[in-house]
Amino acid sequence: QVHMVESGGGVVQSGGSLRLSCLASGSGVSINTVAWYRQSPGKQRELVAIMSNTGRTNYVDSVKGRFSISRDDSKNTMYLQMTSLKPEDTAVYYCNLPRSVRQPDIVVASWGQGTQVTVSS
């Protein structure tokens, strides 16, 4: 079973930056597609950014130009660089390993506890 461990969240002022990290651990870890998600209170979890094993990326419209997803497969780690943060980015951020870019809602790892990002105005 593969487990995801997120870190790097915190409280930041509007316009600030944060870099989230995510480690995939467990037996038989094989990283192909990677993705970041977020969930705000009262809302469903949404896909924020996704990267295929060839490096192709896609982002939800609200973060395009501000967030950047990257990965270090040698460390089983992925990152989410967030800049120009807005109060509406406040959420718990999760990472996972989708089955494919076309199926971001089908993941192959257990969900972690996430990391809280709070952006104050």
Side-chain angles (χ1 to χ4, degrees):
Q1 185 71 24
V2 179
H3 303 276
M4 313 303 291
V5 180
E6 303 90 349
S7 62
V11 179
V12 63
Q13 287 189 334
S14 182
S17 300
L18 281 174
R19 188 191 193 209
L20 306 183
S21 299
C22 170
L23 172 67
S25 63
S27 60
V29 173
S30 177
I31 295 179
N32 293 303
T33 303
V34 299
W36 285 95
Y37 307 76
R38 67 185 178 188
Q39 187 168 20
S40 304
K43 295 186 178 180
Q44 288 190 333
R45 185 179 292 159
E46 68 168 346
L47 176 68
V48 175
I50 192 166
M51 174 181 273
S52 71
N53 58 350
T54 61
R56 186 176 68 178
T57 60
N58 197 17
Y59 300 87
V60 67
D61 285 346
S62 60
V63 308
K64 283 182 179 177
R66 300 189 297 120
F67 290 13
S68 178
I69 186 172
S70 60
R71 59 197 288 169
D72 185 342
D73 290 350
S74 68
K75 298 179 180 179
N76 289 340
T77 299
M78 69 180 87
Y79 306 95
L80 186 67
Q81 179 67 49
M82 306 186 295
T83 63
S84 301
L85 283 161
K86 304 175 180 180
E88 50 263 44
D89 294 320
T90 294
V92 179
Y93 284 72
Y94 302 87
C95 57
N96 214 310
L97 309 176
R99 180 169 293 178
S100 71
V101 172
R102 291 189 178 90
Q103 298 174 301
D105 293 334
I106 301 176
V107 297
V108 301
S110 299
W111 290 99
Q113 293 190 340
T115 185
Q116 175 72 48
V117 172
T118 302
V119 184
S120 61
S121 57

